[in-house]
Amino acid sequence: RVRQAVVSTQSTGSFLFFPHVLPKYTITIMTTETLRRELTGRMMYMDGGMGTMIQQLNLKEEDYRGQQFVDHPCPLIGNNDLLSITQPHLIKKIHKDYLEIGGADFISTNTFNSTSIAMADYQMENLIYQLNMASAKVAVEAAQEVTCDTGVVRYVIGVLGPTNKTLSLSPSVENPAFRNITFDECVEAYTEQTAALLDGGVDILMVETIFDTLNAKAALFAIDQLLETEKYQGWDIPIFVSGTVVDLSGRTLSGQTVEAMVTSLKHFKPLCMGLNCALGATEMRQFIRELGECTETFVSCYPNAGLPNAFGGYDDTPEEMAEILKEWADLGLVNVLGGCCGTTPEHIRAIVEATKHATPRKIHNKMDSYKLTLSGLEPMLAFEESNFINIGERCNVAGSSVFKKHIMNDRYSAALEIAKKQIMEGAQILDLNFDDGMIDGAKAMSHFVNLITCEPDVSRVPLCIDSSDFQVIEAGLKCTQGKCIVNSISLKEGVEDFLAKAAIVKRYGAAVVVMAFDEEGQADNFERKIEICKRSYDLLVQKAGFNPADIIFDPNLLTIGTGLSEHSEYGKDFIRATEWIKENLPRAHVSGGLSNLSFAFRGNRIIREALHSVFLSYATQVGLDMGIVHAGNLPLLKDIEPTLKQLCDDLIWNRNGEEITEKMLLYAEKVKGKAVKKNNSDEDWFKKPLKERLSNAIVNGIDKYIVADVKEFKETTDTPPLQIIEGPLLDAMGIVGDLFGSGKMFLPQVIKSARVMKKAVAYLTPFIEASKVEGQADKGTIVLATVKGDVHDIGKNIVGVVLGCNNYRVIDLGVMCPLEKILSTAVKEKADIIGVSGLITPSLREMVNIATEMNNRGMTTPLLIGGATTSRKHTAVKIWPSYPDLCIYVPDASRAVNVATSLVNKDAKYVQDVRKLYEKVQADHVKTLQKKEITPLKECREKKFKCTLPAPPPPNQLGVQVLKNYNLESIVELIDWKPFFDVWQLRGRYPNRSYPKIFNDKTVGEEARKLFADAQEMLSVLVTSLQGRAVIGIFPAWSEGDDVVIKHMKRELKCYMLRQQIKSGKEDVYLGTADFIGGPGSNDHMGMFCCSVFGSVSMATKYEDSGDDYNSLMIKSLADRLVEAMAEHLHLKIRKDIWGYDKEESFDAADLHSVKYQGTRPAPGYPSLPDHALKDVLWDVLDVDNNIGATLTDSYAMEPPPSVCGLYIAHPESSYFNLGLVARDQVENYAQRQGVNVSQAELALDTILGYEPNNNMN
């Protein structure tokens, strides 16, 4: 269907569509693409509240009835949608006021309640088509008239409201699984409404005021289904979606976060997503920012005119609302603005005037394209570096006899407790299966999913809807507001059936498990597994249009150890197939059911659990993403008895043929009923007094005996478990804290001590909970988090350990934490302090956002700032003014305890001293800016660096190269060890600062040697366990002003760069990176690279989860060193071979670390290239996501965290330099070149601005 639009070109031709209007303008075709271009090019505007305007008319019952409904049997006052039939002139005037007075681009049909569901309240279910048709026609007529009068195209949005019933919530407190409407009934109602709106001529369809995502799914399902019918097939109808956050928790009424809602609905590919209603502009800002960070669509927002007052009115004036929304627009947060409840044409006009010159939000295409995104009440992302995802198996009638009994006996509340327990034990997804001949699967599935939905502790995680009966799967999908997994479909019934089921799954927006079955049966060997998976993948991607990231293969994990030779390769074949899928089927995921593997040993829990853990250790290394497991029953590898571990190894890899099964059976008999005994070598330890043993264990970091000693202390002294913690254990930790504070103990030792303490507390915790005694008294509660957009956590983790050692209760929220999660957790946990950390410069902006929001909310919780890019100066100048007296910079872990103690004790003198210090820093900063002689950009360009030596030769190899399975052992010799010791806060004094001289330092030398020895031991494991991957490329390039243009595959891409404006050195020269690249026609080149180390995060997390912070931090710090060594090694290969401009180079590692080689490899975010946005170009040109699996967060942090990227510049005169401060003239020019507003450029360059920005600047 082609919709028509009027454009502002004079015409003398006939006017076909509006016979009542004189022809002024020509008719041109308008498509979704033209609307997309308009949204890209300028801010656009919706109308305001229809209900607000109707209320001002003070209409009476007879006005609503009109002539048509005089005899209607029930009251009609308040049925605003009916006025489109009975008083169409009033509705049309409201539309035209928003268009003419307000200047809106979009008007919304008066159909918020025009479904049979909502109209049942007025006994008008039979009038739905007429209501929607009338509303559409009156809106279209108003839009056409104003379009013809002004020459500016106006659009009509057909509105589908939420109805007055919810699919995710029960209207009965007594019966939480009850629903008073079904998904199918909702789809039917929305289908009827949509058809009438389309027939009435609307341009856009919008599902709005979403307070229950499942209702919205039904609406979008109806639209999608209708547009495939013969009548509407091919109609070009853009879809808008707008949710409603009901309060400052940032959740919808049905409990989803904004990001979870987006995840649940994005498969419908709306053109625009946004928020409306419930909150005013002030309260909604943080949630619009959050929505923008997780969507690849245009973003809209039409808030209320403030929160309702005591009389149900709205108090924000047009000017107040416009001022707030102008801030949003200047920050590039939105594309479409408008108003909801309480807003009038005057509000819209004020918003238009305040924001019309702003640059609209740029769509980010890097968000989730290469990740599996799932959601319950909260989102869950699975990506290359994610840990193994545990899918809980106990809510499966085939996997749990207890669960089955509860379902058979209608004890759903008891069954729900099993689901809760799985979540507590670590399940991240719940598998639900009700396949049993004595159970009505569809009914049980619907009932249990509805019950789960009302239990937030369970429904926060995604579901895996599991059944061999596709009707049961659909029953589950119709009750699930989140994005779930369907388990499963296969080619068993042929291609037609496979694609039909895939289309249904896709319409519901679920990911899908694909079993390795086809028409011939189950794949039971490697060749058949990969053949079926490849065929299924091609069908799903090419025929069904599936997002490859939503495809999860189960290559059939079959039983081993049966004694049958034909079964002996099953484990090995699964691992091989997993590796093949990850390498050959881009972005697909792999899952498996672990209980199948060990089924031959059913009844022997020790064997089964050990076999599962050993198998996972191999399968996850080659890419197994998830599996259906009993999350609470996976032992750590180090805890498995060595003989058993070796037997498991042999069984999985089919070593020793049939003998291995016999050996395993013999071992199983041996371990039955045997207790673990102490070794004779333990005698010396146990001769010491018990209390001394506890203290020695913690102070010296010895965990071998701690559980046995704590158990003995508890039993022999009859001391309550809480008093053991508060007594001998905390006394020992006090010694640790004193030694660390006095410099007599070092960070590696502290972390080892913390590991022992955690192990002791973990043993005592169940006893404390059983006795229902309140938790340990502590000095205070501290919430720690790495801010959203950043994935680096080493420093934060160290601070957490040190604070924990000093008796603070630490709540670590991990990495990538959104603002709302940090603040809501702090309020919920009654935190005494919040600590935020970040490594990359965009994290500094998020810290400012957090401080500002805390101030806006009137919070008084102190905020600690830390991380590699933070500083006292930045905190004082940029963050502290947003949250004065309560924002403190903490340079490292050793200072954290003193700062925390001062704040928790409300030390007024300390706060006053900080204020004086920060005010001085601010004053010094202003003086520095005033003293700095910043040269005008024009003059700097005239005095740019001019190369005098010849350009480097052309490269030996052009284009992109991918290097997977990088040999990590070969690069160990290139590790720069100084940063490693810095991370562990071991710093020698001159002349013993660097490696290896640090070993000679009198103070830290001995501990440095111990740490280095531990590092070597761990490194020997990591180089064979982790995987290095790299992608590099060299391309024709030329400078264009201050920028560099590269050419790749017939595309020309610009790398935007900056120039010094403060003279460096004695020469009157102002450097820019582009100075080292020849101009157009120079036949010059530039390289790019990205390298990553995969596997360290999951490995470190396993240690962390077991309380071993020492080895966790060891892995993370060594992975960082390995990826830096890989970058060094790659650059060496570039110079000597791939580019080959310095083939004779011969430097040792120390020379390389001292940069004695020719050329440079500057990285985005570093001194000469401060804008991280340059990474977008690298990711695009090198296709990093697809080629090596590394991704970017919305703040340009790289995942996995051990990742490095940058440029290769080969000119012999190229050098590393510090850009320094830049002036307003360069920032304005930089913004203009990129096509963004100045405020956005200032945010990107915040740390190098040589002036105080004007936040109101467009």
Side-chain angles (χ1 to χ4, degrees):
R1 173 174 176 260
V2 176
R3 287 169 287 113
Q4 307 296 322
V6 184
V7 296
S8 56
T9 304
Q10 291 293 335
S11 170
T12 56
S14 61
F15 194 84
L16 302 177
F17 293 89
F18 317 121
H20 59 289
V21 179
L22 291 175
K24 294 182 182 180
Y25 307 100
T26 59
I27 304 295
T28 63
I29 296 173
M30 191 279 291
T31 65
T32 298
E33 192 53 40
T34 63
L35 179 56
R36 184 187 301 276
R37 286 198 296 269
E38 197 164 2
L39 284 164
T40 302
R42 69 178 181 92
M43 293 291 299
M44 298 189 76
Y45 303 94
M46 288 186 177
D47 53 5
M50 174 63 74
T52 301
M53 300 299 290
I54 291 174
Q55 286 173 14
Q56 292 179 5
L57 299 174
N58 296 314
L59 300 178
K60 299 178 180 177
E61 176 71 25
E62 54 267 30
D63 298 315
Y64 281 89
R65 288 179 177 272
Q67 296 300 314
Q68 300 95 320
F69 301 100
V70 172
D71 298 324
H72 195 73
C74 71
L76 296 177
I77 191 167
N79 187 352
N80 290 344
D81 295 16
L82 183 61
L83 296 173
S84 296
I85 294 177
T86 60
Q87 306 291 339
H89 62 289
L90 297 178
I91 301 302
K92 181 177 179 180
K93 184 179 185 306
I94 293 171
H95 284 320
K96 293 192 74 171
D97 283 350
Y98 278 120
L99 293 168
E100 295 173 334
I101 298 172
D105 297 293
F106 305 98
I107 53 171
S108 307
T109 56
N110 182 33
T111 54
F112 187 80
N113 291 307
S114 293
T115 58
S116 57
I117 299 165
M119 281 294 156
D121 289 349
Y122 298 102
Q123 299 179 30
M124 286 190 158
E125 302 97 315
N126 61 334
L127 286 174
I128 301 309
Y129 190 87
Q130 296 94 311
L131 282 166
N132 285 281
M133 175 67 81
S135 291
K137 282 188 172 181
V138 73
V140 168
E141 189 174 293
Q144 288 176 346
E145 289 177 12
V146 176
T147 296
C148 289
D149 289 341
T150 63
V152 178
V153 180
R154 311 303 175 100
Y155 302 93
V156 175
I157 298 176
V159 166
L160 290 81
T163 81
N164 53 0
K165 295 184 178 180
T166 71
L167 287 165
S168 298
L169 299 173
S170 172
S172 169
V173 177
E174 294 79 15
N175 187 358
F178 172 70
R179 300 292 183 271
N180 58 2
I181 193 167
T182 68
F183 185 86
D184 290 337
E185 289 168 344
C186 273
V187 170
E188 183 181 356
Y190 280 124
T191 300
E192 183 181 18
Q193 181 180 27
T194 302
L197 290 170
L198 293 178
D199 292 349
V202 301
D203 302 303
I204 298 160
L205 290 171
M206 178 165 71
V207 180
E208 71 156 352
T209 319
I210 299 166
F211 55 73
D212 182 345
T213 308
L214 191 52
N215 284 39
K217 269 191 180 182
L220 292 163
F221 190 99
I223 294 169
D224 193 49
Q225 196 167 246
L226 186 67
L227 290 176
E228 286 192 358
T229 60
E230 184 177 354
K231 179 177 180 180
Y232 301 102
Q233 195 167 28
W235 282 32
D236 185 17
I237 300 292
I239 307 298
F240 285 14
V241 169
S242 186
T244 294
V245 173
V246 295
D247 56 35
L248 292 176
S249 69
R251 294 179 182 265
T252 62
L253 184 66
S254 57
Q256 277 198 312
T257 65
V258 170
E259 189 171 0
M261 180 191 73
V262 170
T263 301
S264 300
L265 300 177
K266 68 180 180 180
H267 65 283
F268 290 106
K269 298 182 178 176
L271 183 64
C272 186
M273 297 191 80
L275 298 174
N276 73 287
C277 204
L279 302 177
T282 300
E283 297 79 20
M284 203 177 281
R285 181 186 67 247
Q286 59 182 304
F287 306 121
I288 278 292
R289 182 188 289 113
E290 182 181 336
L291 185 144
E293 289 171 351
C294 63
T295 183
E296 298 174 13
T297 70
F298 296 104
V299 170
S300 69
C301 186
Y302 48 113
N304 294 343
L307 296 172
N309 59 32
F311 303 100
Y314 297 88
D315 298 328
D316 280 8
T317 66
E319 294 73 24
E320 290 169 340
M321 195 169 177
E323 182 181 357
I324 296 167
L325 295 183
K326 184 180 185 302
E327 293 178 14
W328 300 16
D330 287 345
L331 290 171
L333 298 180
V334 287
N335 303 93
V336 182
L337 287 170
C340 201
C341 302
T343 58
T344 64
E346 287 72 24
H347 282 84
I348 304 304
R349 181 175 61 193
I351 293 167
V352 172
E353 288 300 315
T355 63
K356 62 185 179 184
H357 297 300
T359 301
R361 173 184 178 271
K362 283 188 173 182
I363 290 183
H364 302 290
N365 293 319
K366 62 178 181 291
M367 292 302 302
D368 296 326
S369 301
Y370 300 97
K371 301 175 182 177
L372 169 62
T373 57
L374 303 171
S375 63
L377 295 183
E378 297 167 6
M380 193 197 83
L381 304 181
F383 50 97
E384 192 87 38
E385 185 64 12
S386 292
N387 298 333
F388 176 79
I389 297 169
N390 294 313
I391 304 176
E393 67 173 355
R394 311 310 292 169
C395 291
N396 183 327
V397 295
S400 169
S401 59
V402 176
F403 183 78
K404 180 180 176 179
K405 285 179 183 176
H406 289 324
I407 299 300
M408 296 277 287
N409 294 293
D410 206 28
R411 295 195 296 261
Y412 280 88
S413 295
L416 186 62
E417 291 302 314
I418 293 175
K420 287 183 186 178
K421 185 179 179 184
Q422 285 187 96
I423 303 298
M424 290 173 60
E425 290 179 341
Q428 295 144 285
I429 299 172
L430 274 184
D431 182 77
L432 308 180
N433 184 293
F434 299 90
D435 287 358
D436 186 273
M438 300 302 293
I439 297 173
D440 183 337
K443 182 180 177 182
M445 180 70 79
S446 300
H447 187 89
F448 195 65
V449 174
N450 283 341
L451 195 63
I452 281 176
T453 304
C454 298
E455 186 58 59
D457 288 342
V458 179
S459 58
R460 66 183 177 83
V461 305
L463 301 178
C464 180
I465 308 297
D466 183 356
S467 179
S468 57
D469 184 341
F470 200 73
Q471 289 184 341
V472 175
I473 286 174
E474 272 208 87
L477 291 172
K478 289 174 181 178
C479 299
T480 308
Q481 69 170 328
K483 179 179 177 182
C484 59
I485 297 173
V486 164
N487 188 13
S488 59
I489 64 173
S490 75
L491 285 164
K492 184 163 49 177
E493 302 297 330
V495 172
E496 186 177 347
D497 175 80
F498 179 72
L499 290 176
K501 289 174 179 173
I504 294 170
V505 173
K506 182 186 172 192
R507 181 165 282 155
Y508 282 104
V512 66
V513 174
V514 180
M515 299 296 296
F517 279 81
D518 66 3
E519 299 89 339
E520 297 177 16
Q522 178 175 254
D524 58 0
N525 59 56
F526 172 71
E527 289 74 18
R528 285 272 292 148
K529 291 176 192 290
I530 66 172
E531 173 200 345
I532 295 174
C533 290
K534 176 69 166 69
R535 184 183 172 207
S536 301
Y537 181 88
D538 290 343
L539 286 167
L540 287 173
V541 174
Q542 296 168 16
K543 298 283 188 183
F546 238 84
N547 179 352
D550 285 340
I551 301 171
I552 305 165
F553 285 107
D554 184 341
N556 301 338
L557 184 51
L558 304 175
T559 304
I560 59 176
T562 64
L564 299 175
S565 60
E566 58 266 34
H567 298 173
S568 57
E569 295 283 310
Y570 283 167
K572 185 161 67 172
D573 281 350
F574 183 93
I575 294 171
R576 290 177 62 207
T578 297
E579 185 171 24
W580 187 91
I581 289 168
K582 299 300 284 188
E583 290 180 352
N584 293 279
L585 305 181
R587 296 162 52 200
H589 295 78
V590 184
S591 178
L594 255 68
S595 60
N596 293 342
L597 179 78
S598 61
F599 192 70
F601 301 96
R602 58 191 181 277
N604 194 319
R605 184 171 168 179
I606 293 175
I607 301 294
R608 295 194 74 175
E609 291 175 1
L611 193 58
H612 293 167
S613 281
V614 175
F615 181 82
L616 279 179
S617 73
Y618 294 116
T620 53
Q621 283 183 35
V622 299
L624 182 66
D625 299 285
M626 60 192 76
I628 299 177
V629 299
H630 190 172
N633 290 342
L634 285 177
L636 294 171
L637 283 178
K638 67 182 183 64
D639 295 334
I640 300 173
E641 197 273 328
T643 302
L644 176 56
K645 183 178 181 300
Q646 186 61 54
L647 289 170
C648 291
D649 267 355
D650 293 343
L651 192 62
I652 290 165
W653 294 108
N654 190 27
R655 301 187 188 111
N656 303 321
E658 296 179 5
E659 292 180 14
I660 182 59
T661 302
E662 294 300 322
K663 288 180 179 179
M664 183 67 91
L665 290 172
L666 288 172
Y667 184 88
E669 289 301 317
K670 273 184 176 182
V671 297
K672 278 186 178 178
K674 277 206 169 187
V676 179
K677 296 181 180 179
K678 293 178 184 176
N679 297 325
N680 292 332
S681 58
D682 298 336
E683 289 179 0
D684 290 342
W685 177 268
F686 290 103
K687 288 178 181 177
K688 298 174 184 175
L690 186 53
K691 201 166 183 179
E692 183 183 334
R693 282 165 17 208
L694 291 176
S695 182
N696 285 348
I698 289 176
V699 173
N700 295 302
I702 301 169
D703 67 352
K704 183 177 181 180
Y705 314 100
I706 189 65
V707 171
D709 285 345
V710 170
K711 181 180 179 183
E712 184 179 340
F713 192 93
K714 174 179 173 293
E715 292 172 351
T716 58
T717 65
D718 202 26
T719 304
L722 184 60
Q723 290 183 23
I724 298 175
I725 295 173
E726 292 177 335
L729 297 183
L730 277 179
D731 288 345
M733 288 307 297
I735 295 171
V736 171
D738 291 342
L739 292 171
F740 181 63
S742 63
K744 296 177 181 177
M745 195 172 185
F746 304 105
L747 186 62
Q749 296 164 305
V750 171
I751 293 173
K752 287 180 180 178
S753 296
R755 174 173 60 185
V756 180
M757 179 68 172
K758 282 186 177 182
K759 204 166 183 178
V761 172
Y763 169 75
L764 292 170
T765 297
F767 298 105
I768 296 173
E769 291 174 350
S771 60
K772 297 184 179 179
V773 176
E774 288 297 319
Q776 167 194 351
D778 46 55
K779 291 181 180 178
T781 297
I782 300 177
V783 170
L784 296 180
T786 300
V787 298
K788 186 169 179 64
D790 205 327
V791 296
H792 300 89
D793 65 353
I794 295 178
K796 170 183 65 67
N797 291 352
I798 291 171
V799 170
V801 169
V802 172
L803 289 169
C805 290
N806 283 271
N807 199 20
Y808 284 93
R809 174 178 171 242
V810 176
I811 300 170
D812 190 338
L813 299 181
V815 301
M816 294 280 289
C817 287
L819 175 154
E820 184 57 35
K821 182 178 182 180
I822 296 170
L823 301 192
S824 60
T825 301
V827 172
K828 179 183 176 183
E829 300 292 339
K830 298 180 181 178
D832 297 283
I833 294 172
I834 298 171
V836 293
S837 174
L839 179 71
I840 57 175
T841 49
S843 298
L844 300 176
R845 298 200 295 272
E846 184 64 12
M847 292 175 186
V848 174
N849 293 337
I850 291 168
T852 302
E853 192 60 36
M854 290 176 73
N855 193 53
N856 290 342
R857 296 187 185 189
M859 296 179 71
T860 58
T861 309
L863 177 66
L864 303 187
I865 303 293
T869 58
T870 60
S871 65
R872 176 186 290 167
K873 182 176 180 179
H874 183 271
T875 303
V877 174
K878 300 291 185 179
I879 307 177
W880 190 78
S882 300
Y883 198 48
D885 290 348
L886 294 166
C887 185
I888 313 291
Y889 167 64
V890 182
D892 57 45
S894 63
R895 313 284 182 88
V897 175
N898 290 337
V899 172
T901 302
S902 298
L903 294 173
V904 168
N905 292 339
K906 302 189 184 305
D907 186 337
K909 183 179 182 303
Y910 175 77
V911 173
Q912 186 177 7
D913 290 344
V914 170
R915 183 192 305 125
K916 289 179 180 177
L917 174 63
Y918 285 7
E919 286 173 348
K920 183 179 184 301
V921 172
Q922 289 175 335
D924 291 345
H925 173 67
V926 172
K927 289 177 184 176
T928 300
L929 292 182
Q930 292 170 345
K931 288 180 182 178
K932 289 280 186 184
E933 295 182 9
I934 300 183
T935 308
L937 180 61
K938 182 179 179 183
E939 182 180 340
C940 294
R941 286 173 170 168
E942 292 169 353
K943 296 178 178 179
K944 73 174 189 176
F945 179 79
K946 295 179 178 64
C947 294
T948 58
L949 297 176
N956 292 331
Q957 302 171 45
L958 278 175
V960 176
Q961 296 184 48
V962 180
L963 306 169
K964 290 190 176 180
N965 297 315
Y966 212 94
N967 185 348
L968 298 182
E969 288 182 271
S970 69
I971 63 172
V972 168
E973 63 183 16
L974 296 181
I975 289 177
D976 184 356
W977 286 102
K978 184 182 182 303
F980 172 80
F981 290 113
D982 287 343
V983 165
W984 290 89
Q985 297 183 20
L986 293 176
R987 300 179 180 96
R989 295 186 177 183
Y990 182 83
N992 297 318
R993 288 176 180 165
S994 60
Y995 166 83
K997 292 181 179 179
I998 190 173
F999 298 146
N1000 300 324
D1001 188 86
K1002 293 180 180 179
T1003 306
V1004 303
E1006 183 181 352
E1007 190 57 37
R1009 281 192 293 274
K1010 290 179 183 177
L1011 181 68
F1012 188 71
D1014 288 348
Q1016 296 305 305
E1017 184 178 346
M1018 180 63 77
L1019 197 57
S1020 65
V1021 175
L1022 296 185
V1023 293
T1024 57
S1025 302
L1026 305 183
Q1027 186 181 56
R1029 302 178 200 165
V1031 55
I1032 57 176
I1034 305 176
F1035 315 97
W1038 59 91
S1039 59
E1040 192 174 279
D1042 293 336
D1043 304 323
V1044 175
V1045 181
I1046 66 167
K1047 187 172 183 179
H1048 177 51
M1049 298 178 67
K1050 298 182 180 180
R1051 291 194 302 156
E1052 294 182 359
L1053 296 97
K1054 185 171 286 189
C1055 302
Y1056 295 99
M1057 297 175 179
L1058 296 157
R1059 179 170 299 285
Q1060 287 179 329
Q1061 288 190 269
I1062 296 176
K1063 187 163 53 176
S1064 60
K1066 296 179 181 179
E1067 295 184 20
D1068 197 12
V1069 172
Y1070 299 88
L1071 297 175
T1073 301
D1075 295 347
F1076 307 117
I1077 305 292
S1082 62
N1083 194 31
D1084 207 346
H1085 297 79
M1086 185 171 78
M1088 295 179 169
F1089 76 96
C1090 179
C1091 56
S1092 302
V1093 169
F1094 288 83
S1096 64
V1097 173
S1098 56
M1099 188 180 288
T1101 302
K1102 288 178 182 176
Y1103 280 104
E1104 209 169 290
D1105 291 344
S1106 67
D1108 190 346
D1109 290 318
Y1110 180 78
N1111 277 319
S1112 173
L1113 289 168
M1114 180 67 74
I1115 290 167
K1116 291 178 182 180
S1117 54
L1118 287 174
D1120 282 350
R1121 291 299 88 219
L1122 280 171
V1123 79
E1124 292 286 354
M1126 196 192 312
E1128 197 73 74
H1129 192 252
L1130 280 169
H1131 199 184
L1132 181 66
K1133 292 176 71 170
I1134 288 285
R1135 295 191 299 272
K1136 299 187 71 171
D1137 180 24
I1138 298 170
W1139 195 323
Y1141 61 80
D1142 195 359
K1143 297 178 181 178
E1144 304 305 319
E1145 173 189 308
S1146 179
F1147 293 122
D1148 61 18
D1151 292 332
L1152 295 178
H1153 299 154
S1154 301
V1155 195
K1156 293 185 178 180
Y1157 49 78
Q1158 176 183 324
T1160 57
R1161 59 169 190 274
Y1166 279 69
S1168 61
L1169 298 172
D1171 191 350
H1172 285 264
L1174 181 57
K1175 291 175 185 173
D1176 276 333
V1177 181
L1178 271 77
W1179 251 250
D1180 182 3
V1181 174
L1182 299 175
D1183 196 11
V1184 177
D1185 299 75
N1186 276 326
N1187 280 330
I1188 64 171
T1191 58
L1192 290 175
T1193 70
D1194 54 302
S1195 295
Y1196 296 106
M1198 293 176 283
E1199 296 181 302
S1203 295
V1204 178
C1205 71
L1207 310 177
Y1208 291 132
I1209 297 174
H1211 198 281
E1213 292 174 277
S1214 63
S1215 62
Y1216 294 102
F1217 63 91
N1218 188 350
L1219 191 74
L1221 299 178
V1222 294
R1224 190 187 302 274
D1225 59 350
Q1226 180 161 200
V1227 176
E1228 291 175 352
N1229 181 267
Y1230 187 67
Q1232 183 182 24
R1233 297 193 325 256
Q1234 294 190 82
V1236 300
N1237 64 37
V1238 176
S1239 296
Q1240 288 173 280
E1242 287 175 334
L1243 281 174
L1245 306 176
D1246 179 59
T1247 57
I1248 61 166
L1249 295 180
Y1251 62 94
E1252 287 300 320
N1254 175 4
N1255 292 327
N1256 295 319
M1257 186 192 308
N1258 290 328

